[in-house]
């Protein structure tokens, strides 16, 4: 899976990074971003859980 964070929507709540720090981290602007272009298969479950837990739906799965 490929995921990305829309920085215009992210409110920097930290939920995704708390749930899945292997995949999400802060960028230099204080917004979350995804560390991978293609999320490794063994991290997909936590990447997906974080996506579903974002309160403002800022994490998108690439088509
Ligand atoms: S959970 Fe959503 S709003 Fe919160 S830091 Fe992550 S991407 Fe941003």
């Amino acid at each position: 899976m490929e995921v990305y964070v829309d920085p215009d929507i992210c409110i920097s709540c930290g939920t995704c990074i708390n749930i899945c720090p292997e995949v999400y981290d802060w960028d230099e602007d204080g917004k979350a971003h995804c560390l991978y272009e293609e999320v490794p298969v063994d991290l997909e479950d936590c990447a997906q859980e974080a996506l579903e837990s974002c309160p403002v739906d800022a994490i998108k799965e690439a088509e």
Side-chain angles (χ1 to χ4, degrees), residues 36-47:
Y36 297 97
E37 273 186 34
E38 177 89 34
V39 176
V41 172
D42 60 333
L43 296 176
E44 283 188 350
D45 284 352
C46 93

Side-chain angles (χ1 to χ4, degrees), residues 1-3 15-16 18-24 34 36 38-54 59 61:
M1 71 191 289
E2 292 179 43
V3 295
T15 299
C16 59
N18 286 334
I19 290 174
C20 193
E22 298 90 344
V23 172
Y24 302 95
C34 180
Y36 297 97
E38 177 89 34
V39 176
V41 172
D42 60 333
L43 296 176
E44 283 188 350
D45 284 352
C46 93
Q48 181 70 28
E49 185 183 346
L51 182 153
E52 292 171 2
S53 300
C54 176
I59 306 173
E61 187 163 3

Side-chain angles (χ1 to χ4, degrees), residues 5 10-16 26 32 54-56 58-59:
V5 176
C10 175
I11 57 170
S12 305
C13 72
T15 299
C16 59
W26 299 115
C54 176
V56 292
I59 306 173

